[in-house]
């Protein structure tokens, strides 16, 4: 049986609505729940999320970010996204 080495990739995404450590905590928890995600680093000042994973599925990562209220910069940032990010922020503050 041949073992194939999986490629570890790091990808950075600039997002909307990132305000604080509470937001960062919610994003980190949400993304670490996705399959094959090993690490998540968040730069609150620059609104950047860096994800390290095996065989990264960017569509799933970006979809998860959007569902949490943090769409990729340049994507539609609706009132619903902003409201979700506000709630995510508050939940992240309570849980961290």
């Amino acid at each position: 049986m041949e073992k194939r080495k999986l490629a570890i990739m790091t990808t950075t995404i600039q997002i909307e609505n990132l305000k604080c450590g509470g937001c960062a905590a919610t994003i980190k928890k949400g993304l670490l729940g996705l399959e094959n995600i090993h690490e998540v680093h968040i730069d609150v000042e620059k609104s950047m999320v860096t994800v390290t994973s095996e065989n990264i599925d960017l569509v799933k990562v970006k979809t998860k970010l959007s569902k949490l209220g943090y769409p990729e910069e340049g994507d539609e940032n609706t009132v619903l996204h902003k409201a979700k990010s506000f709630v995510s922020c508050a939940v992240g503050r309570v849980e961290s």
Side-chain angles (χ1 to χ4, degrees), residues 3-4 13 21 29 38 43 53 61 65-67 71 76 92:
K3 285 189 175 183
R4 291 189 305 186
I13 304 166
K29 181 178 178 182
H38 295 289
D43 185 331
S53 89
V61 171
L65 286 167
S66 186
K67 285 182 179 180
E76 187 175 16

Side-chain angles (χ1 to χ4, degrees), residues 55-93:
N55 300 330
I56 194 165
D57 184 341
L58 278 177
V59 172
K60 284 185 180 178
V61 171
K62 291 177 182 181
T63 298
K64 183 66 170 184
L65 286 167
S66 186
K67 285 182 179 180
L68 290 171
Y70 306 96
E72 182 178 20
E73 187 175 84
D75 284 355
E76 187 175 16
N77 188 15
T78 65
V79 171
L80 183 58
H81 286 111
K82 292 174 185 175
K84 284 182 179 181
S85 73
F86 184 77
V87 172
S88 292
C89 176
V91 170
R93 286 183 192 184

